[in-house]
Amino acid sequence: MAHPPGFRKHLGLLEKKKDYKLRADDYRKKQEYLRTLRKKALEKNPDEFYYKMTRVKLQDGVHVIKETKEEVTPEQLKLMRTQDVKYIEMKRVAEAKKIERLKSELHLLDFQGKQQNKHVFFFDTKKEVEQFDVATHLRTAPELVDRVFNRPTIETLQKEKVKGVTYQTRLKRIAKERQKQYDCLTQRIEREKKLFVIAQKIQTRKDLLDKTRKVKVKKETVNSPAIYKFQSRRKR
């Protein structure tokens, strides 16, 4: 709004052009919206039916959707929770079996073929520690010390001939396949953990259906269910 000349002060503030344009655009937009609604109402089929009409009623001039309540008894709901727990537990056990099978195939080796755990050697004197050589102690070639599988001794290498050569491309392909298996193992371990948490949460909700007095001790989190303390009740 702009300040008017002194002789027009009794008429109030003057409207700027940009304010008028904004007001006019808003008015035209609303008129166009109303025109579209009238056209849509005129062209509507009076016999058209929507399933939503069965759940909507007019209350004080406003359409209200009626919420349908599930007709389920507490015993039925408890049984349904039990079936859910059994299904989740079945899937979790299947994942655990697959994890054990993958671990047995991979022999718990990492990507480079080195074992994660360390091998500790014990000696009686400090002189033995200073003179210690891993290749000599393991009776193998120095190039094979880092290997934890298929590590032949010097005697075996002298007796048997080299049966074949493993090319670098084949080694890369084997390493890639091994890494893929480890990625699959990691994903299955995470899935088994999530299924375990879901089973615990469903079991907690199932226990809450009992009419025993309870007090929440710990809130539910992403990785753990809520913990409740139930009133002790003598079983009959």
Side-chain angles (χ1 to χ4, degrees), residues 64-109:
V64 180
I65 300 177
K66 295 184 292 184
E67 296 182 358
T68 56
K69 296 183 179 180
E70 296 182 358
E71 298 296 333
V72 182
T73 62
E75 291 78 10
Q76 291 174 345
L77 188 59
K78 191 173 182 180
L79 180 61
M80 290 164 61
R81 295 288 188 191
T82 305
Q83 297 298 324
D84 293 340
V85 171
K86 289 181 179 179
Y87 174 76
I88 296 297
E89 187 63 23
M90 179 189 69
K91 300 295 288 183
R92 190 191 68 81
V93 171
E95 286 294 332
K97 290 181 179 179
K98 292 176 182 178
I99 290 170
E100 292 299 326
R101 187 172 68 250
L102 275 174
K103 285 183 177 180
S104 63
E105 291 175 358
L106 294 171
H107 303 289
L108 295 179
L109 300 176

Side-chain angles (χ1 to χ4, degrees), residues 84-85 87-89 92 191-205 222-225:
D84 293 340
V85 171
Y87 174 76
I88 296 297
E89 187 63 23
R92 190 191 68 81
R191 191 179 299 124
E192 193 268 340
K193 289 181 180 178
K194 291 179 181 179
L195 289 173
F196 180 72
V197 174
I198 291 172
Q200 285 185 322
K201 290 183 178 182
I202 295 176
Q203 182 64 38
T204 303
R205 287 173 173 79
V222 179
N223 300 319
S224 63

Side-chain angles (χ1 to χ4, degrees), residues 216-227:
K216 183 182 285 189
V217 179
K218 186 178 179 181
K219 292 183 179 180
E220 181 178 309
T221 62
V222 179
N223 300 319
S224 63
I227 299 177

Side-chain angles (χ1 to χ4, degrees), residues 140-156:
T140 186
E143 296 81 3
L144 304 177
V145 169
D146 292 336
R147 304 181 69 177
V148 294
F149 65 97
N150 193 16
R151 183 173 57 198
T153 60
I154 297 294
E155 293 81 2
T156 305

Side-chain angles (χ1 to χ4, degrees), residues 15 42 47 50 62 70 75 79 104 111 124 139 143 157 178 180 186 192 194 209 224 227 231:
E15 187 177 24
L42 290 173
D47 297 328
Y50 293 97
V62 180
E70 296 182 358
E75 291 78 10
L79 180 61
S104 63
F111 175 66
D124 297 329
R139 294 184 295 109
E143 296 81 3
L157 293 173
R178 185 180 300 160
K180 186 177 180 180
T186 304
E192 193 268 340
K194 291 179 181 179
L209 296 175
S224 63
I227 299 177
Q231 182 184 16

Side-chain angles (χ1 to χ4, degrees), residues 11-184:
L11 297 176
L13 297 175
L14 294 177
E15 187 177 24
K16 290 185 179 180
K17 184 177 181 180
K18 62 178 183 180
D19 298 327
Y20 166 76
K21 288 181 65 176
L22 290 174
R23 185 166 56 82
D25 291 342
D26 182 64
Y27 174 78
R28 282 193 292 269
K29 184 178 179 181
K30 291 177 180 178
Q31 291 298 319
E32 182 65 25
Y33 183 67
L34 291 173
R35 195 178 302 110
T36 305
L37 288 178
R38 292 192 192 96
K39 183 179 179 182
K40 191 173 182 180
L42 290 173
E43 294 177 352
K44 185 177 180 181
N45 184 3
D47 297 328
E48 192 172 3
F49 174 77
Y50 293 97
Y51 286 99
K52 199 173 182 180
M53 294 178 181
T54 59
R55 298 189 295 110
V56 178
K57 65 178 181 178
L58 196 64
Q59 184 177 354
D60 297 332
V62 180
H63 285 87
V64 180
I65 300 177
K66 295 184 292 184
E67 296 182 358
T68 56
K69 296 183 179 180
E70 296 182 358
E71 298 296 333
V72 182
T73 62
E75 291 78 10
Q76 291 174 345
L77 188 59
K78 191 173 182 180
L79 180 61
M80 290 164 61
R81 295 288 188 191
T82 305
Q83 297 298 324
D84 293 340
V85 171
K86 289 181 179 179
Y87 174 76
I88 296 297
E89 187 63 23
M90 179 189 69
K91 300 295 288 183
R92 190 191 68 81
V93 171
E95 286 294 332
K97 290 181 179 179
K98 292 176 182 178
I99 290 170
E100 292 299 326
R101 187 172 68 250
L102 275 174
K103 285 183 177 180
S104 63
E105 291 175 358
L106 294 171
H107 303 289
L108 295 179
L109 300 176
D110 63 0
F111 175 66
Q112 288 80 13
K114 298 178 182 178
Q115 199 171 12
Q116 295 180 356
N117 297 330
K118 296 181 179 179
H119 198 144
V120 181
F121 298 96
F122 296 92
F123 300 96
D124 297 329
T125 62
K126 186 176 180 180
K127 185 178 180 181
E128 292 180 357
V129 176
E130 294 174 352
Q131 296 177 353
F132 174 70
D133 181 65
V134 181
T136 306
H137 185 81
L138 297 176
R139 294 184 295 109
T140 186
E143 296 81 3
L144 304 177
V145 169
D146 292 336
R147 304 181 69 177
V148 294
F149 65 97
N150 193 16
R151 183 173 57 198
T153 60
I154 297 294
E155 293 81 2
T156 305
L157 293 173
Q158 291 175 351
K159 290 178 182 178
E160 298 185 5
K161 297 181 180 179
V162 180
K163 298 180 180 180
V165 179
T166 305
Y167 295 99
Q168 192 67 21
T169 54
R170 178 173 173 78
L171 288 175
K172 289 182 180 180
R173 190 175 78 251
I174 293 174
K176 188 175 181 180
E177 292 176 357
R178 185 180 300 160
Q179 180 63 33
K180 186 177 180 180
Q181 286 182 323
Y182 272 105
D183 292 341
C184 180

